[in-house]
Structure formats: structure tokens, C-alpha cells
Amino acid sequence: MLARLWLRLGAFLGKTLLWLVGLGLLGWLLSTLWFAWQHSGPVSPDEQIPPGESAMTQGIIQTAVRIVDQHREGTRYLRDAHAKAHGCVKAEVSVLPDLDPALRQGVFAEPGKTWQAMMRLSNGNAYPQFDSIRDARGMAIKLLNVPGKQLLADQQARGEQDFVMFSHPNFFVSDVAEYAQNVSAQADGKQVMAFFPGVDPRSWQVRHLFIALATLAPPPVSPTQTTYFSVSPYKFGAANAKFRVAPDPLGCPAYVLPKQNQDLPNFLRSALNQQLSTDRVAACFVLQIQRQNPQKFMPIEDTSVEWKESDVPFETVAKVVIPAQDFDTPALNLACDNQSFNPWFGVEAHRPIGGINRLRKAVYEAVSDYRHSRNL
Ligand code: HEM
């Protein structure tokens, strides 16, 4: 009697398990199909501004300013993001002499032209922490003496074109609404819960949590040895494009960086110093453009989506050289801190597009003004 009961129970549990496995597989299959359908082209080549977007921006500025206040070092107010610099260096950006005519847009219009530029290399965190801690790494390039009307009406005297990038191809949020929700949760110390805003599983952002974790990567051996991505899209003449700057060791004299002590808090600055100042060897990169094909899944309004290289490859438009130089002096470091980079410092041919870039327009200006006004 007892044995029969056990057998029945065993059969029941076995069947239940089979059902559960079957249902799990079906759920996985359906969600994979749903994801593939949701992430397939064509997409709009135009910006689509959701209602209420600009209203959220004010709240985000307040959070950013709160972070700047919390993280100030003594009397100095730092950036809300990418607070720690490894250095600001002089660079030269040279348009390829034989550039394909279709790629001759904006500051890349004249083949062979060399722009003088400034470059700031940074860690992503709002707090200047040890370089060995997992983080995004930033590169901001500012082309100087750029002719033509600047995008920001009150910045006409600048004559600049900035390229602001970090070391991961996609962002941990899609749009302004998600950024507002996520960042206010993070500012309250709820790092992981920021991706699970409610009990409804449809609001969970598991994919975005994985992007955030992947963005916080171990350090490169040197800031000159990693690739930096625009993440968000920009105009490229009449087209839309993302860009990236990748190391080009063959463009420069061969160089092997001596092993750095990664336990030192600022070893990325030391690595830069060793190459440029001590060993006096230039560092080389290529600046590359990936043009949008709206027939593919290359959206403008979702920065969490990496535009696949298998859909459209990156094309080199310019070479970037950081010549040997002495950049690590108190005066140059102070000037570096007082500098502002902003994706909106530039010309119409490279206008930032998409929600996250629209948000950055207000936030960079507000935070930059805030810290400059207090760092007199
Ligand atoms: C597309 C994704 C983004 C990338 C690639 C990016 C990259 C960077 C980099 C490299 C810097 C340092 C610039 C420098 O060296 O001075 C920076 C600064 C900054 N970022 Fe972003 N960022 C992104 C998105 C955002 C978003 C969504 C916000 C907030 C709305 C934001 C807010 C800021 C602020 C406030 C600064 C400091 C500005 C200053 O005080 O001068 N960023 N960002």
C-alpha cells in the first residue's frame, strides 16, 4: 500500500517536473522569438521625442548636482561623471588623404587635413577611485579652431568639435525615462534594485543590468590600449552614425609598455606618463564611423542597443596621434580639470541625436557651469 503510494507520488512528481521543463522551454522559445522580433529592422532614421521627456531632465540635473556636491574633494568640485582624469594631452586628428567621398562630412570634409586637438582620458566613476577598480574608461577629444556655426547659440566663440566616448559600445539604459528612474534609485544607494523598479516582471531590466556589469570592466594596461565608443548616435552629414576610436599600434613606432604596478591608485596616469613623457613614444588610434542602415536594427532612440558590426562595419575616417609630450604638471592638470567637454560643442554636421543625447545637452551644461562657478 505504502509502496504504491510512493510510486504514484513519484509518477506525479516526474510528470510535474516534465511539464515544468516543457513550459520553461516554451517560455524561453517564445521570449527569444519576441526579443528577435522586437530587435529587428527596419527602424526610423529620424528622432522621435516622447512626451514629457524635457520635464524629466530637471530632476536628473538636480540628482547630478547632488552627486557633484557629495563627491567634492576638499574645496574642489569635480565632474558628476568621469571625475578622475589620467591626463589631458595634446593630439592631432588627421583626415585620411584618400577618404571615400561619401565619408567626407563635417570636420572630415577635407582629405589630408590635420586638426590640432585636446584629449582628456578618464575613469567613469563620479568619485576618483583606484584605477584597478572595475569601471568604464572615458576619452573626450576636442578639435580646435573649427570654423562654422556652433550648435549651441551661446557658445559661438568656441570653434570646437568634441567627441565624447567611453569604453563600452552600449549604454545601460535605453532612454531618458529609464535613465531618470535608474539614476534616482542609484543615487539612493539601490544599485541593483535600480534595474527592478517594480514587482511586475515586465518592468525588470535584466539585459540592462548585464550591460551595466559589462561596462564596469577591469582596467586596460594603459588608456592608450583600449577602444572608446560614442555609444549614442550623431548626424554624419545627412546620414546618422556612431563612432569609435580604436588603438592603431601599426600607425606609430613599435612600443612595449613596461609592466605597471596596478596596485598603485593612479597607475593609468603612470602608464600614460611612461609612454609619452619618459619613453617619448607617440600613441596612435584610428577614428572610425559606423553609418546607420535603417533597414537593420540600428535604432536612434535606444542607446542600450549596440549597432552590430555584422550589419554595418566601422570605416576609418581619420588617424589620431598623441605625440610624445609632458602633460603631467600641476598647471596642465588644473587646466584639464577646468576644461569642459560636451557632445553638443560642435557643428551641425555632427549634431548629437536620440533621447540620451538630448538629455546630455542640458545636463553637461548645468553640471559644468555648477562646478566652474564654485571652483573660482
Ligand atoms: C552616451 C553615453 C555617454 C557617454 C559615452 C559619456 C561619456 C562621458 C565622458 C567621457 C565624460 C568626461 C568628459 C571629460 O573628459 O570632461 C562625461 C562627462 C559627463 N557626463 Fe557623460 N556620457 C554618456 C552619458 C551621459 C548621461 C546620460 C549623462 C547624464 C544625463 C551624462 C552626464 C555627464 C556629466 C554631467 C559629465 C561631466 C560634465 C562636466 O562637468 O564637464 N553622461 N561623459
Side-chain angles (χ1 to χ4, degrees):
M1 172 71 182
L2 198 62
R4 211 179 313 145
L5 202 65
W6 274 116
L7 278 176
R8 283 220 179 135
L9 188 66
F12 171 74
L13 286 176
K15 268 188 200 158
T16 310
L17 194 68
L18 267 179
W19 269 102
L20 285 177
V21 170
L23 281 175
L25 279 174
L26 189 67
W28 173 77
L29 185 72
L30 287 177
S31 53
T32 306
L33 288 174
W34 169 256
F35 184 83
W37 180 61
Q38 289 279 301
H39 286 70
S40 61
V43 296
S44 171
D46 301 318
E47 288 187 272
Q48 285 157 335
I49 306 178
E53 188 183 88
S54 57
M56 283 178 241
T57 305
Q58 285 316 310
I60 293 172
I61 290 176
Q62 280 167 15
T63 310
V65 167
R66 181 150 60 104
I67 293 172
V68 170
D69 274 335
Q70 281 167 358
H71 288 178
R72 70 168 186 265
E73 271 202 329
T75 55
R76 233 178 139 69
Y77 287 74
L78 306 173
R79 287 162 172 80
D80 155 60
H82 298 264
K84 177 176 175 179
H86 312 309
C88 272
V89 291
K90 286 191 189 123
E92 287 179 349
V93 178
S94 302
V95 182
L96 291 192
D98 53 352
L99 186 63
D100 176 346
L103 293 169
R104 295 179 192 173
Q105 306 293 338
V107 295
F108 309 106
E110 190 186 330
K113 159 103 187 157
T114 294
W115 296 99
Q116 298 304 314
M118 284 303 302
M119 179 191 284
R120 181 173 179 269
L121 296 151
S122 58
N123 281 344
N125 205 278
Y127 186 75
Q129 55 191 12
F130 275 46
D131 292 344
S132 54
I133 297 175
R134 295 179 78 103
D135 201 354
R137 318 291 155 174
M139 174 190 274
I141 302 178
K142 186 184 288 299
L143 303 194
L144 305 168
N145 301 318
V146 175
K149 190 167 174 254
Q150 291 279 302
L151 283 168
L152 299 180
D154 59 346
Q155 300 287 341
Q156 294 310 314
R158 283 192 170 270
E160 295 171 357
Q161 177 61 55
D162 288 7
F163 296 96
V164 185
M165 300 158 272
F166 66 57
S167 53
H168 198 72
N170 51 350
F171 202 39
F172 66 96
V173 297
S174 297
D175 53 26
V176 178
E178 197 188 336
Y179 187 86
Q181 173 269 313
N182 188 297
V183 163
S184 81
Q186 288 207 40
D188 292 337
K190 299 175 190 153
Q191 261 75 3
V192 172
M193 289 320 288
F195 295 88
F196 302 97
V199 282
D200 182 349
R202 283 172 303 178
S203 69
W204 297 353
Q205 295 293 351
V206 180
R207 190 175 70 84
H208 293 183
L209 173 62
F210 279 103
I211 296 172
L213 293 173
T215 305
L216 302 178
V221 295
S222 164
T224 64
Q225 293 189 32
T226 192
T227 299
Y228 301 89
F229 302 84
S230 73
V231 181
S232 53
Y234 292 76
K235 294 308 294 179
F236 186 68
N240 302 319
K242 292 191 181 184
F243 55 84
R244 73 177 178 192
V245 169
D248 177 30
L250 296 180
C252 272
Y255 176 67
V256 180
L257 177 74
K259 196 169 161 37
Q260 303 293 303
N261 179 354
Q262 300 212 353
D263 293 332
L264 293 177
N266 308 324
F267 81 87
L268 288 173
R269 175 178 285 270
S270 310
L272 204 57
N273 212 322
Q274 171 97 43
Q275 176 169 1
L276 301 176
S277 303
T278 310
D279 297 336
R280 310 224 62 91
V281 180
C284 288
F285 296 87
V286 281
L287 198 158
Q288 301 180 313
I289 297 292
Q290 183 187 36
R291 285 179 285 176
Q292 184 198 34
N293 174 352
Q295 294 311 311
K296 304 284 183 185
F297 190 62
M298 302 174 90
I300 299 298
E301 295 293 344
D302 186 345
T303 39
S304 77
V305 175
E306 178 181 359
W307 290 2
K308 287 199 207 97
E309 283 186 69
S310 53
D311 283 340
V312 180
F314 280 90
E315 297 164 285
T316 299
V317 292
K319 302 250 179 192
V320 181
V321 178
I322 313 176
Q325 60 191 281
D326 298 316
F327 65 92
D328 196 6
T329 69
L332 291 177
N333 288 332
L334 183 65
C336 179
D337 201 50
N338 286 334
Q339 191 55 274
S340 288
F341 293 83
N342 181 329
W344 287 86
F345 291 166
V347 295
E348 180 61 38
H350 305 295
R351 168 185 283 274
I353 52 175
I356 288 296
N357 272 337
R358 291 189 295 273
L359 170 66
R360 291 166 90 193
K361 184 179 185 181
V363 178
Y364 280 56
E365 199 169 19
V367 171
S368 163
D369 286 355
Y370 184 77
R371 66 184 175 86
H372 290 320
S373 67
R374 277 155 184 78
N375 283 340
L376 292 173

